[in-house]
């Protein structure tokens, strides 16, 4: 069965990424890896869509530059054939003020030839933006009557 092997491949990737070893994380990916995380790119320009190792390396380098430490917990993992889904609780410590941003990620990986070919991340970006900006955006919008 390929499912346990693919599950372990994704877990190895996560360990490399969260330990800030960009080259080891990229070694887990295909050359044409396709990454997508829907996010407001005007606030988080390092998110969005990236294709290929060079673009993904650049994006992850921005993440590593903005955050002094990364930690994660895997809440659940499901593997079926060449697909692996992971519920991740992420903790990123902001470099500029040591404040920790914590958020959940539903990450979906598609593997090809034993490597990750596609990454899709779903994040509560409204909550994440509030934490990154350190502002209660909902309250501010309510005060202006925009919601």
């Amino acid at each position: 069965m390929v499912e346990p092997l693919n599950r372990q491949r994704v877990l190895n990737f996560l360990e490399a990424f969260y330990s800030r070893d960009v080259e080891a994380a990229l070694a887990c990916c295909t050359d044409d890896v396709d990454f997508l995380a829907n996010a407001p790119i005007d606030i988080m320009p390092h998110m969005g869509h990236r294709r290929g190792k060079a673009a993904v390396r650049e994006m992850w380098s921005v993440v590593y530059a903005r955050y002094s430490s990364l930690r994660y917990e895997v809440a659940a993992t499901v593997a079926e054939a060449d697909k692996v889904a992971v519920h991740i609780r992420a903790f990123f410590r902001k470099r500029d003020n040591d404040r920790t941003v914590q958020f959940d990620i539903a990450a979906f990986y598609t593997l090809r030839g034993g490597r990750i070919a596609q990454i899709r991340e779903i994040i509560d970006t409204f909550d994440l933006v509030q934490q990154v900006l350190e502002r209660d955006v909902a309250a501010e919008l309510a005060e202006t009557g925009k919601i």
Side-chain angles (χ1 to χ4, degrees):
M1 295 187 86
V2 72
E3 285 88 354
L5 184 56
N6 283 339
R7 178 185 181 279
Q8 189 58 53
R9 287 173 171 144
V10 168
L11 293 175
N12 292 345
F13 160 77
L14 291 172
E15 183 60 31
F17 172 78
Y18 282 93
S19 67
R20 305 170 67 90
D21 188 344
V22 70
E23 294 309 319
L26 286 170
C28 297
C29 300
T30 60
D31 290 339
D32 64 342
V33 61
D34 188 44
F35 175 93
L36 177 65
N38 292 322
I41 58 171
D42 52 335
I43 297 171
M44 301 171 158
H46 58 283
M47 299 294 283
H49 185 237
R50 301 287 186 274
R51 186 168 184 86
K53 283 187 176 181
V56 171
R57 177 186 290 109
E58 179 182 333
M59 173 188 57
W60 288 343
S61 295
V62 171
V63 171
Y64 296 153
R66 290 184 177 195
Y67 299 95
S68 60
S69 68
L70 310 177
R71 184 172 61 85
Y72 73 106
E73 299 168 357
V74 172
T77 308
V78 178
E80 183 175 308
D82 65 345
K83 304 209 182 301
V84 179
V86 184
H87 174 194
I88 303 163
R89 183 70 174 164
F91 305 85
F92 288 20
R93 183 175 304 276
K94 292 171 73 175
R95 187 173 300 284
D96 62 349
N97 66 4
D98 277 342
R99 186 176 170 128
T100 298
V101 176
Q102 52 186 305
F103 53 99
D104 289 315
I105 305 169
F108 302 92
Y109 303 90
T110 301
L111 288 90
R112 182 177 69 235
R115 296 191 190 277
I116 297 169
Q118 186 179 72
I119 302 170
R120 296 291 181 261
E121 292 183 349
I122 300 171
I123 304 166
D124 179 354
T125 55
F126 187 80
D127 177 55
L128 182 57
V129 164
Q130 290 192 115
Q131 290 183 64
V132 168
L133 295 178
E134 299 178 22
R135 296 182 6 214
D136 186 346
V137 176
E140 290 177 18
L141 290 172
E143 285 176 14
T144 63
K146 293 186 179 181
I147 59 171

